[in-house]
Amino acid sequence: MTQSTRRAVVTGGGTGIGRAIAAHLARSGHEVVIIGRRQHVLEEAAAAINEAASSEPTGDTPPGRVTWATADLTDPEAVASLAKSLATAGPVDVLVNNAGGIFGSGGESLADTATAWEADFRGNVLTAVLLTEALLPHLARPGGRIIGISSIAGLRGAGSYGAAKAAMHAWAMSLATSVAADGITVNIVAPGFVPDTEFWRDRLTDQVVQSRLAQIPLGRPGTPEEIAAAVGYLAAPDAGWTTGQILQVNGGALFGRG
């Protein structure tokens, strides 16, 4: 790694939006570490991104640009160990907190309700908070970039998943204030309907697709690559005057207002 090479960490980087983000950052010259729980998924993703990059005509992205590490990001000890390992290679320039999903299944009892809400909070909020706190001492100053991937559900959603994403927004806004003096930016990208992901794999029906498309003025779903492009802007060195923002990427399904 040369001194000018920027380092990025992407959680949930083995599939869908996280994988697209990792590929985008690698193509733009970052050394990328993708984090997840499933080693075989991470290995395959890193190999595929590196192979695609090495075959590009420009040759700008050498083989081995993307590496991987496994961790349970809800486990404080596992996160501390991961952060220590990541820090051995030097400062982290970009942290993308993409890991998340729907983890709660509901139920009839209060205990079931508590379990479902706790699961969604742990899987969407705690995963971001723990790794960010662990890596804060190792983020580049100035120039560090912290980017969370939430959802349109955090702005208009329902249930424990929407509440968890909204909590992620509140946390990110507070964090943006506390690290601004160090030249670190904190922003959120909130995607709309992006069906080519594991999140939607077992939920897609014709009725769901038509219902979602009916809410989108641009008339089509989004792609992981379009979300990755938004992250790419926020991660860039020249995006240093953008912080504390929620960038919606949803085809107009929910318009933004200041």
Side-chain angles (χ1 to χ4, degrees):
M1 183 180 72
T2 65
Q3 188 173 6
S4 60
T5 301
R6 287 168 63 80
R7 297 182 64 225
V9 174
V10 180
T11 69
T15 63
I17 290 172
R19 178 166 171 165
I21 292 169
H24 185 98
L25 293 176
R27 286 194 302 270
S28 67
H30 292 76
E31 296 272 3
V32 182
V33 183
I34 55 176
I35 310 296
R37 293 171 297 172
R38 297 171 296 175
Q39 178 175 330
H40 69 283
V41 172
L42 297 171
E43 285 181 331
E44 189 278 328
I49 295 170
N50 289 327
E51 181 179 1
S54 65
S55 64
E56 290 179 358
T58 60
D60 290 339
T61 308
R65 174 75 74 183
V66 179
T67 57
W68 56 269
T70 58
D72 177 355
L73 296 177
T74 67
D75 181 343
E77 291 186 3
V79 173
S81 177
L82 171 65
K84 182 178 180 180
S85 175
L86 292 172
T88 60
V92 172
D93 298 281
V94 180
L95 170 59
V96 182
N97 290 305
N98 169 72
I102 294 179
F103 302 95
S105 57
E108 297 182 358
S109 71
L110 287 178
D112 291 337
T113 300
T115 298
W117 279 73
E118 288 172 356
D120 275 348
F121 187 87
R122 290 174 62 83
N124 291 282
V125 183
L126 200 60
T127 52
V129 172
L130 288 181
L131 185 58
T132 301
E133 289 294 322
L135 285 179
L136 268 181
H138 311 293
L139 284 174
R141 286 168 168 78
R145 304 282 183 260
I146 301 171
I147 303 162
I149 308 301
S150 68
S151 168
I152 191 173
L155 298 163
R156 69 169 191 192
S160 55
Y161 177 73
K165 291 304 188 183
M168 189 175 181
H169 294 170
W171 163 72
M173 299 307 103
S174 174
L175 182 63
T177 300
S178 66
V179 299
D182 290 329
I184 297 172
T185 65
V186 184
N187 294 285
I188 294 285
V189 174
F193 181 49
V194 182
D196 189 17
T197 62
E198 282 197 343
F199 180 92
W200 284 107
R201 183 178 60 189
D202 298 325
R203 299 183 176 91
L204 280 183
T205 65
D206 289 341
Q207 182 178 2
V208 168
V209 171
Q210 293 307 313
S211 173
R212 295 283 172 167
L213 292 180
Q215 302 173 44
I216 302 174
L218 287 179
R220 66 170 179 83
T223 68
E225 290 73 24
E226 288 172 315
I227 309 306
V231 172
Y233 159 66
L234 294 172
D238 56 3
W241 212 48
T242 301
T243 196
Q245 303 301 311
I246 300 172
L247 176 56
Q248 297 190 60
V249 187
N250 57 38
L254 181 63
F255 291 156
R257 294 179 173 84

